[in-house]
Amino acid sequence: MKYISTRGQTAPMSFSDVLLMGLAPDGGLMLPENYPQIDRATLDEWRHLSYAELAFAIMSLFATDIEQVDLKALIDKTYTKATFNSDDITPVTRLYDDVALLELSNGPTLAFKDMAMQFLGNAFEYVLKQKNERLTIIGATSGDTGSAAEYALRGKDNIEVFMMSPHGKMSAFQRAQMYSLDDKNIHNIAIDGMFDDCQDIVKALQEDADFKAKYSLGTVNSINWGRILAQVVYYFKGYFGATDSNDETVSFCVPSGNFGNVCAAHIAKQMGLPIDRLIVATNENDVLNEFFNTGKYAPRKASETYVTSSPSMDISKASNFERFVYLLLDKDTDKVRALFGDVKAGKGFDVKDKLGDIQGRFGFVAGKSTHADRLNTIKKVHAETGRLIDPHTADGVKVALDVKKAGEKIVVAETALPIKFEETMTESLGKVDLPRPAHTVGLEDKPQFVTVLDNDAALVAAEIQKFVTAK
Ligand SMILES: *Cc1c(COP(=O)(O)O)cnc(C)c1O
């Protein structure tokens, strides 16, 4: 399988090349030339596979240039009960009649990002060894990506990690999770700014071709294809977990920010998984909600992004969105390049003539949840079901209940565990005992390691130069 760029000006590449990449050289995102089509017989076989078996069945269709026994070993090493706390890896649990949760947050950092990142950590180490190369990972995080990346890459051979986070914008638990790591290859950098500023620094460094080559820059941000692919797996698993037969359809509701998680659901649907609707839930940062309801994409500046109580969704420029737009525009790479040129110029774009396709052929729906909705939903779900859900998952449940059609089965992605967001949980429920997995007991009391820098890409570049020798 060959990979191409959404902007059409990058020579086709193999999976293991794309795995180590961030943005394509032409500024676009890499994706396969075609999504493989899964027929009914295959789907029937897959229904009975374990998580690791299913992951291998799906990923081997995409990772065609990795030795299949090696791929299998990487997957078997990644998706274990020891790491994800259950044999199912991603159990589906009932919330209401026809509304279930797909549990994606039982990994080391208690958010869904572990699902992909744990695989990526193992895959990176493997590919680097094969190629006899080193890699400098730079990343931007509003909390969950960074910790998931660091826990996946800590202590890995030939990998150095520089993770930028917005100074003072994460929860105490999230800060402790990241900054308490003392592995020599992990470098935490707190930027005086917002998440989007951190992301802009990553983009600026990536776009400096000379610096990028000299220091072997790579990324694990959600634009990385390997992450999206690993996430496709749990939509298949979640579908099988929520249904009794492949005659049924389900809708997925996904709390969204960078459009990575729901992009994986969209790809699963494109591959033929019987998904009815893809429900995109946003918080007050509702750029995607506006797009899926009107066709108008108007990303906002960092200064116009609200700090909310579902902070991992405080994103106003959805970096994975281009993969969907590419398909929406029938793979017209010139048009994609033009539209995202307009985005870069701060203008955004409007494809309202495509609204029929967006909502019909692609099945997208969107809704928005506010701070008050979040608090109410956490309280309502706890009172009615006894279950504690985190603020991001609450945004998903709120929107799912808002848009649900009679008879529609909706599976909401549980994107984090409540213990990560104790302040908001307490605001909603009053003093409450939040379950804390054993490996996180006493986390906030550990010493923390972080360097605070002004919002300036050059300062980050200098920090990298301190620790990485140029090629
Ligand atoms: C990252 C994250 C999201 C948003 O996911 P995207 O892939 O960026 O859309 C939602 N909830 C939580 C808890 C997250 O960590």
Side-chain angles (χ1 to χ4, degrees):
M1 175 175 281
K2 286 292 177 196
Y3 289 80
I4 53 169
S5 164
T6 49
R7 301 201 187 168
Q9 300 190 327
T10 299
M13 291 184 185
S14 67
F15 178 82
S16 54
D17 291 326
V18 169
L19 189 65
L20 301 178
M21 283 176 65
L23 284 179
D26 62 12
L29 302 183
M30 300 303 287
L31 80 187
E33 281 174 320
N34 293 295
Y35 295 130
Q37 297 302 300
I38 306 309
D39 60 21
R40 175 61 191 254
T42 308
L43 208 57
D44 288 345
E45 267 172 46
W46 285 4
R47 173 169 284 276
H48 307 288
L49 300 183
S50 71
Y51 194 95
E53 288 166 343
L54 181 63
F56 177 70
I58 294 172
M59 291 168 86
S60 61
L61 300 174
F62 292 88
T64 48
D65 69 327
I66 292 189
E67 284 293 340
Q68 298 295 286
V69 285
D70 292 348
L71 180 65
K72 178 135 189 14
L74 287 175
I75 288 170
D76 287 345
K77 177 174 156 187
T78 302
Y79 296 108
T80 64
K81 182 174 180 180
T83 303
F84 292 99
N85 213 16
S86 79
D87 286 318
D88 283 349
I89 308 295
T90 57
V92 174
T93 45
R94 179 187 173 279
L95 207 54
Y96 296 106
D97 285 342
D98 288 344
V99 179
L101 290 183
L102 174 58
E103 296 187 23
L104 303 176
S105 306
N106 299 320
T109 72
L110 319 184
F112 82 92
K113 298 199 169 70
D114 289 327
M115 292 303 307
M117 212 69 89
Q118 287 288 315
F119 171 75
L120 216 58
N122 290 327
F124 273 21
E125 192 175 51
Y126 168 81
V127 170
L128 289 173
K129 218 158 268 175
Q130 296 276 311
K131 293 177 185 280
N132 194 21
E133 282 175 15
R134 300 183 50 85
L135 190 62
T136 304
I137 292 293
I138 56 172
T141 184
S142 50
D144 295 326
T145 312
S147 52
E150 292 184 354
Y151 281 75
L153 297 171
R154 60 190 296 202
K156 289 274 189 275
D157 294 337
N158 303 318
I159 299 178
E160 212 68 30
V161 180
F162 295 83
M163 189 58 63
M164 277 153 277
S165 48
H167 188 38
K169 304 285 194 308
M170 298 190 297
S171 75
F173 186 92
Q174 286 180 312
R175 279 199 300 276
Q177 244 182 353
M178 287 180 57
Y179 302 166
S180 67
L181 290 181
D182 59 0
D183 302 78
K184 281 213 306 288
N185 71 330
I186 302 294
H187 310 272
N188 286 301
I189 301 175
I191 298 290
D192 250 323
M194 301 288 292
F195 167 74
D196 294 277
D197 296 319
C198 298
Q199 189 150 279
D200 285 344
I201 292 178
V202 171
K203 282 204 172 159
L205 295 177
Q206 290 275 347
E207 281 166 12
D208 181 342
D210 184 51
F211 188 84
K212 179 174 175 172
K214 253 192 187 148
Y215 294 94
S216 311
L217 296 191
T219 173
V220 289
N221 265 334
S222 62
I223 55 174
N224 178 281
W225 170 255
R227 277 185 64 182
I228 301 289
L229 175 58
Q231 292 176 174
V232 170
V233 176
Y234 56 67
Y235 286 102
F236 280 85
K237 190 71 182 156
Y239 168 79
F240 296 135
T243 55
D244 296 319
S245 101
N246 294 332
D247 294 329
E248 295 176 54
T249 62
V250 302
S251 297
F252 283 102
C253 178
V254 185
S256 295
N258 260 320
F259 201 73
N261 202 359
V262 75
C263 186
H266 150 73
I267 292 168
K269 182 170 164 71
Q270 291 305 303
M271 289 170 69
L273 188 66
I275 295 174
D276 179 8
R277 302 197 296 171
L278 295 167
I279 305 161
V280 178
T282 73
N283 65 15
E284 291 87 337
N285 297 295
D286 58 351
V287 168
L288 290 173
N289 177 48
E290 181 178 23
F291 174 80
F292 287 107
N293 282 298
T294 68
K296 182 166 172 250
Y297 184 57
R300 301 186 195 123
K301 292 188 288 236
S303 59
E304 296 162 346
T305 301
Y306 302 104
V307 177
T308 77
S309 49
S310 45
S312 296
M313 294 156 66
D314 290 349
I315 291 164
S316 299
K317 212 190 284 171
S319 56
N320 269 293
F321 188 50
E322 194 169 326
R323 288 198 171 97
F324 163 64
V325 172
Y326 166 82
L327 273 204
L328 178 66
L329 300 177
D330 298 313
K331 307 187 178 181
D332 181 343
T333 52
D334 291 338
K335 187 109 190 268
V336 173
R337 201 163 59 244
L339 291 187
F340 283 88
D342 289 346
V343 168
K344 190 156 189 199
K347 283 190 288 192
F349 58 76
D350 195 336
V351 289
K352 60 174 170 303
D353 55 313
K354 297 271 183 193
L355 207 52
D357 277 349
I358 292 168
Q359 297 177 347
R361 178 155 70 102
F362 291 102
F364 279 105
V365 191
K368 166 181 176 174
S369 164
T370 64
H371 181 66
D373 293 328
R374 208 166 292 137
L375 297 184
N376 287 336
T377 305
I378 291 169
K379 196 183 285 180
K380 168 184 152 76
V381 167
H382 186 238
E384 291 171 355
T385 73
R387 174 120 186 181
L388 293 162
I389 56 171
D390 99 290
H392 305 79
T393 308
D395 287 334
V397 171
K398 191 270 175 187
V399 171
L401 295 177
D402 275 356
V403 306
K404 190 176 177 312
K405 299 179 292 188
E408 184 180 23
K409 195 175 243 183
I410 302 184
V411 177
V412 180
E414 182 179 50
T415 55
L417 294 191
I419 184 70
K420 295 192 92 166
F421 305 98
E422 198 160 6
E423 288 135 68
T424 303
M425 296 304 293
T426 307
E427 191 180 341
S428 168
L429 297 169
K431 194 80 202 101
V432 61
D433 253 341
L434 300 174
R436 185 184 267 265
H439 71 276
T440 63
V441 174
L443 189 67
E444 290 93 327
D445 303 327
K446 292 188 181 163
Q448 299 193 357
F449 309 91
V450 59
T451 304
V452 183
L453 295 180
D454 285 343
N455 178 16
D456 180 351
L459 296 175
V460 176
E463 193 68 15
I464 293 171
Q465 286 168 318
K466 268 194 223 165
F467 294 95
V468 181
T469 325
K471 257 207 264 200

